Structures are given as C-alpha cells and as structure tokens.
Amino acid sequence: MSRSPRRPRAVIDADHLGRLESLAEAASAGLPQVAEPLLSKLATARVVPASRMPGDVVTLNSALTYRDDIRGREQEITLAWPEDADISQGAVSVLTPIGVALLGLPVGASVTWTTRNGQERALTVLRLGVAPVAA
C-alpha cells in the first residue's frame, strides 16, 4: 500500500476569508462537491493578514504553474474569483475542484483532489508567477 503525502495546511489571506466563506455557503446547495471541501479547507486553514502572506503560497489572483502528477504535464493558470474566471485565458475559478485544491498551497506541495466526474487527480505546485493586472 502506498502512502499518500500529508496534505499541507492551507494558508489563507485574511482579506479573502469572508468572501470565500460566503461563496462556499452560497454554492452549498448547487455545488456541494466544491462547497464542502472549500468550507473544510477554510475551517482548518492558517489565516494570516495580507501583509504577512507568504510569497510562495497560492492565493486569489496568483499566477502559477502546476504539474499534473498523473499525466506528467505542466499547466500555467491564474486562480480567480468566479466572476473573473475564463478558462480560455487560463483563469480558473476558486469555485472549481482544482481551484479549491490549489488555494492556500505553498510551492512544492502536492495534493490529491477529485474532479466533478469523480476521477482522482494529483498535482504539485511548481512555481508562482505574476498575475496579469486586470484592466
């Protein structure tokens, strides 16, 4: 039996906490497969003021590169608020299974998550970049 890596404790920007909780609660009826993991992550996260957010942690508007550990492919995305999400531009909503999985992870962390169709996936955060500034 293989050991799965220990899930790292998420670090959440205190400025985002209230809005993230509201989004998860609002989504709980229609998207419980996303809302429940998000609420669980927020309940156990280390919440820090924006001025003390570690620079190597995925947060909203973070541009990042991750590796799909099953397929071996690298992907560049920006973690976005739902209204800013646009998959054709690489902006992934925090209200998606992968968005929830990535939120609060430090560079180098690996995590498993379940897609909306029930497939288990694994990814590793490789690096953070600079997100483009919205016009």
Side-chain angles (χ1 to χ4, degrees):
M1 183 170 135
S2 67
R3 270 183 49 191
S4 60
R6 188 174 73 88
R7 182 178 291 248
R9 185 175 178 199
V11 180
I12 303 294
D13 184 328
D15 290 349
H16 297 160
L17 182 62
R19 184 167 178 207
L20 287 166
E21 288 172 334
S22 294
L23 284 170
E25 289 167 8
S28 63
L31 293 170
Q33 71 276 22
V34 176
E36 291 171 16
L38 180 54
L39 285 169
S40 177
K41 179 174 269 194
L42 296 176
T44 60
R46 183 168 62 98
V47 179
V48 300
S51 63
R52 300 204 42 214
M53 268 303 286
D56 67 341
V57 170
V58 177
T59 189
L60 273 295
N61 301 317
S62 288
L64 64 120
T65 303
Y66 71 87
R67 180 182 59 240
D68 178 323
D69 292 334
I70 294 171
R71 295 183 177 153
R73 293 189 316 207
E74 291 186 13
Q75 182 76 36
E76 294 180 6
I77 66 161
T78 299
L79 186 61
W81 293 106
E83 66 273 14
D84 298 327
D86 181 349
I87 199 66
S88 70
Q89 298 296 312
V92 174
S93 173
V94 70
L95 279 184
T96 60
I98 192 169
V100 172
L102 287 165
L103 180 66
L105 291 182
V107 170
S110 297
V111 67
T112 58
W113 56 283
T114 304
T115 66
R116 288 188 175 148
N117 61 7
Q119 293 180 323
E120 188 166 293
R121 305 293 291 276
L123 62 81
T124 300
V125 179
L126 299 177
R127 61 190 158 273
L128 294 182
V130 177
V133 177

